[in-house]
Amino acid sequence: MEAAELAGRLLRDGRPEGLGVAATKSSPVDVVTEMDLAAEKLITEYLLDLRPYDGFLGEEGGASAEGRSGVRWVIDPLDGTVNYLYGLPSWAVSIGVEMYGERVAGVVEVPMRGETYFARSGHGAFVTGGQYGDKQVRLRCRDAAPLAESLVATGFNYVADVRAHQAEVARELIPQVRDIRRGGSAAIDLCDVAAGRLDAYFERGLHPWDLCAGEVIAREAGALVGGRPGREADGELTIAAPAGVFEPLQALLEELGAWHD
């Protein structure tokens, strides 16, 4: 939580007017800013000082290390990079923790909301700040609604051909749900499921750093989190929703081929 807060403050207060692009990701639409790299450096140095034997996996590559403690920190220093680049508020710092390969804890810092979401396995999910004030409020996902009355969030890939298929899936899905939202940050979408602001969320193409922290938070708030039938959430498909929404949504996404390009 301390590392996420420091990185969030750096990104919020240090955002320059004209952002320089340090590198490109999978296409010219998706950029990695200098601030993204600076935030990852801050997080990893902070954690390494306290946990020198742990492993690290960071989106920008600078944090990748095996470690020898059985603990690995999975870091997305700036989830919602394009939102950040354009001055939109929906971006976050996401830090998840794996223990012997199992996702066990996470924090998602959302600086422009002033909110911090956090959870650890078996101990519940909580939020503090923003509309919640100084209190630590326990999170609980919404009670299940019929799929036709469910507000569902998703995301789209930055590669045009992949995005085209995802748009076709969304076109087929829209008449069968209340509506669809696209926020631009997987970590925030998972937290919004946990907080009851969304009924469900799904996306294809997530990486471990996109979902590690948010998965623990959503799960500890009572949501089911998984992928294709019988599988965990992974790069093919991630779904988060309360029981009763999860199952019909998973079945529909399987039918629509949401798990492939």
Side-chain angles (χ1 to χ4, degrees):
M1 290 176 69
E2 292 169 359
E5 181 183 3
L6 289 170
R9 192 182 308 155
L10 169 72
L11 291 164
R12 183 194 64 204
D13 298 344
R15 183 183 183 279
E17 288 297 320
L19 287 174
V21 177
T24 61
K25 292 185 181 177
S26 52
S27 79
V29 180
D30 192 7
V31 298
V32 182
T33 66
E34 294 164 2
M35 296 300 293
D36 200 338
L37 298 170
E40 183 173 284
K41 184 172 185 290
L42 183 155
I43 293 166
T44 55
E45 289 182 351
Y46 184 90
L47 293 173
L48 273 170
D49 186 54
L50 297 170
R51 306 279 307 185
Y53 303 111
D54 292 349
F56 290 83
L57 177 64
E59 180 185 15
E60 306 312 329
S64 297
E66 287 299 321
R68 56 182 189 270
S69 68
V71 172
R72 183 169 76 160
W73 301 83
V74 184
I75 302 163
D76 192 340
L78 177 49
D79 185 52
T81 309
V82 173
N83 285 346
Y84 181 80
L85 184 70
Y86 278 77
L88 294 168
S90 294
W91 55 269
V93 179
S94 175
I95 305 176
V97 185
E98 295 176 344
M99 184 173 289
Y100 301 108
E102 181 183 354
R103 296 166 185 150
V104 297
V107 56
V108 174
E109 179 83 9
V110 190
M112 303 309 291
R113 288 186 187 173
E115 295 172 351
T116 304
Y117 297 82
F118 56 98
R120 60 188 176 117
S121 292
H123 291 81
F126 298 86
V127 62
T128 187
Q131 71 179 64
Y132 304 97
D134 296 330
K135 297 181 295 183
Q136 289 189 5
V137 177
R138 190 170 188 127
L139 295 170
R140 193 71 196 166
C141 64
R142 296 178 69 87
D143 293 336
L147 187 59
E149 298 174 12
S150 295
L151 183 63
V152 180
T154 191
F156 298 103
N157 197 281
Y158 290 110
V159 177
D161 289 345
V162 178
R163 191 165 65 241
H165 177 67
Q166 291 175 318
E168 182 61 24
V169 171
R171 186 185 71 81
E172 295 282 348
L173 183 64
I174 283 174
Q176 304 187 61
V177 299
R178 181 186 294 276
D179 206 349
I180 285 187
R181 295 290 181 267
R182 194 275 199 261
S185 164
I188 293 177
D189 285 342
L190 286 163
C191 289
D192 281 346
V193 171
R197 292 169 171 162
L198 294 168
D199 292 292
Y201 162 73
F202 78 94
E203 188 163 351
R204 167 164 168 75
L206 295 186
H207 299 282
W209 48 80
D210 295 315
L211 65 91
C212 184
E215 175 183 341
V216 179
I217 293 166
R219 193 176 67 224
E220 286 296 307
L224 298 178
V225 183
R228 296 186 66 191
R231 295 178 55 170
E232 295 183 352
D234 59 18
E236 276 199 331
L237 189 62
T238 295
I239 306 169
V245 177
F246 182 93
E247 298 88 348
L249 178 60
Q250 183 187 55
L252 180 56
L253 293 172
E254 182 74 9
E255 179 185 336
L256 295 175
W259 48 273
H260 64 75
D261 299 335

